[in-house]
Amino acid sequence: MNATPKSADQNQVIAPGGVIGILGGGQLGRMTAMAAARLGYRVHTFCPDRNAPASHVSWHNTVAAYDNKSALKAFAESVDVVTFEFENIPSATTDYLAALKPTRPKPNVLYLTQERLREKRFLASINVPTTKFLDVGRQEALESAVKALGRPAILKSAEFGYDGKGQVRIDGDMDLFEAWVKMGGEVGILEAYVDFVREISVIVARGPDGSTAIYQPVENQHKNHILDVTMVPARVSQAVAGRAEAIARHIATELELVGLLAVEMFVTHNDEVLVNELAPRPHNSGHWTIDGSVTSQFEQFVRAVCGLPLGSTERHSDAVMKNLIGDDVNGWRELLNDPAVKLHLYGKEEARPGRKMGHYTRLSPKAGIRTGDDRR
């Protein structure tokens, strides 16, 4: 698709009563639509999947392929601003829409973050510390890359990976041809193994005027490459927390982000903070904010995308968020028997292995530590 050269007004404020167009229809879009409704907005989703979670709570839904130009044109005509709730969208789609309506984040942010090599190179260009990595453009290049970085190492598909998909750990006895086949991509990136103490993430919002609001670092625990538990506050020093927040703000500024950015990081044994991946939209590790923060990440996303003043990120409780993966969702009744549990189900019909079906959050009184509220 060829976008017209003239772009829509990217500084426009979208007042309550307007329509937010969301590319994608998953649970992140669902929770964004619910937050948007509380602020008086309507949501129109664009997604190729019928009965997607966001469609249950949205004002209108378009079911079409992301390269359907006539459907995209009609979608743009019905909304006031465009955003997205996951990265697996052709960048040509956002290029086309950005010529018609304000698109936030801008298409270049999607282009950079949906491909791991582009993302890592961008981070290197702005002096952000990351894991060591090498471009593996073809299978034949894998052997020399492994020799350079050593074993263990992590081979990842450069494009369209999430929840551990397209990732293979290359240990001492792993056959490299087998690793390439398991990775499943046409182009790979090999990353050095990081012996980290813990994984953390920071979510930062940025408005069209450059104002930012940042949530304090949270600690993430994974199971089978899928986020299992998020704890807030993260068990890191104030110095590490401050450094992680500064890195997240720096990346958002350099991207000229308008919207929300989640920055996943490793904390090493000597308190280095290394960026692992970026997600320019609401993030699983921010779900605790629905119940534990003055402003949820989803409301903050709406505020940023619409050009409204950003909300307070103050945490009023400590929190533990746990994902419900696959058949875990069948325990919903027992969870509801616990009055301290806040249960969130996504309305998905089939509980497949590895599929995120919902989450729950437990809150406890805040332990008198810093709130993470930091607006500039």
Side-chain angles (χ1 to χ4, degrees):
M1 285 177 289
N2 295 317
T4 56
K6 184 179 179 181
S7 61
D9 179 6
Q10 294 296 329
N11 294 315
Q12 178 184 353
V13 173
I14 311 302
V19 180
I20 303 170
I22 299 179
L23 297 169
Q27 63 265 20
L28 301 178
R30 177 189 180 97
M31 289 181 274
T32 298
M34 294 165 71
R38 285 192 290 272
L39 287 174
Y41 293 94
R42 293 168 290 168
V43 162
H44 182 170
T45 64
F46 190 109
C47 179
D49 302 323
R50 293 189 181 276
N51 199 34
S55 70
H56 306 159
V57 297
S58 298
W59 167 70
H60 193 71
N61 308 285
T62 293
V63 179
Y66 290 121
D67 60 356
N68 186 325
K69 190 172 181 178
S70 61
L72 288 170
K73 186 174 185 295
F75 172 72
E77 291 172 348
S78 75
V79 305
D80 297 296
V81 65
V82 175
T83 190
F84 50 87
E85 58 104 47
F86 81 139
E87 291 95 300
N88 291 357
I89 298 165
S91 57
T93 297
T94 49
D95 285 340
Y96 176 78
L97 291 171
L100 303 174
K101 288 292 168 71
T103 299
R104 302 167 177 166
K106 62 184 179 179
N108 187 56
V109 174
L110 176 65
Y111 175 77
L112 285 172
T113 57
Q114 70 182 181
E115 207 263 17
R116 288 188 172 103
L117 280 168
R118 286 196 293 265
E119 182 175 282
K120 283 287 199 298
R121 289 168 180 155
F122 166 74
L123 292 171
S125 75
I126 61 170
N127 299 314
V128 169
T130 68
T131 55
K132 295 179 182 177
F133 68 95
L134 289 172
D135 180 349
V136 186
R138 53 192 176 86
Q139 178 191 330
E140 292 77 11
L142 182 57
E143 183 175 357
S144 61
V146 170
K147 286 181 179 177
L149 292 184
R151 300 187 187 219
I154 311 298
L155 176 64
K156 299 180 180 180
S157 173
E159 291 187 311
F160 303 128
Y162 64 97
D163 286 346
K165 295 178 175 63
Q167 297 188 28
V168 181
R169 175 172 166 146
I170 298 177
D171 286 308
D173 57 352
M174 167 69 75
D175 178 78
L176 297 186
F177 176 77
E178 179 185 352
W180 185 268
V181 172
K182 283 186 176 181
M183 181 266 288
E186 295 183 3
V187 177
I189 176 174
L190 187 71
E191 298 181 358
Y193 175 75
V194 178
D195 184 19
F196 56 86
V197 176
R198 54 185 48 88
E199 296 182 54
I200 65 172
S201 59
V202 173
I203 294 175
V204 57
R206 186 173 183 272
D209 62 353
S211 61
T212 61
I214 198 161
Y215 294 90
Q216 72 178 102
V218 301
E219 183 172 339
N220 300 316
Q221 298 175 352
H222 291 75
K223 183 184 294 184
N224 299 321
H225 300 290
I226 301 174
L227 181 62
D228 181 35
V229 172
T230 292
M231 298 179 292
V232 55
R235 294 172 295 176
V236 296
S237 68
Q238 287 198 2
V240 167
R243 191 153 61 249
E245 291 173 11
I247 289 171
R249 185 181 291 106
H250 173 61
I251 296 169
T253 299
E254 291 296 321
L255 283 171
E256 297 182 347
L257 176 84
V258 177
L260 213 63
L261 179 72
V263 184
E264 299 178 42
M265 311 176 192
F266 298 128
V267 180
T268 69
H269 290 273
N270 60 353
D271 281 349
E272 283 185 287
V273 178
L274 303 176
V275 171
N276 181 31
E277 292 184 354
L278 308 178
R281 36 75 178 172
H283 192 257
N284 198 164
S285 69
H287 289 354
W288 69 272
T289 62
I290 301 172
D291 303 305
S293 180
V294 172
T295 307
S296 77
Q297 68 163 341
F298 299 101
E299 179 184 332
Q300 198 77 285
F301 184 46
V302 171
R303 285 172 175 253
V305 164
C306 292
L308 305 182
L310 299 179
S312 169
T313 60
E314 182 175 357
R315 172 179 58 81
H316 55 69
S317 301
D318 293 346
V320 176
M321 186 284 302
K322 181 171 173 59
N323 275 325
L324 298 173
I325 307 296
D327 289 338
D328 290 349
V329 72
N330 295 331
W332 62 267
R333 187 180 296 277
E334 289 75 14
L335 290 169
L336 287 177
N337 283 336
D338 185 342
V341 163
K342 303 290 288 186
L343 180 64
H344 301 263
L345 301 179
Y346 304 152
K348 297 179 181 180
E349 292 181 340
E350 183 183 1
R352 298 192 297 266
R355 194 181 196 193
K356 294 173 182 174
M357 301 298 295
H359 73 270
Y360 67 89
T361 306
R362 292 181 186 272
L363 304 178
S364 57
K366 192 169 68 173
I369 60 174
R370 59 193 301 275
T371 66
D373 188 24
D374 184 5
R375 290 182 291 167
R376 294 185 180 179

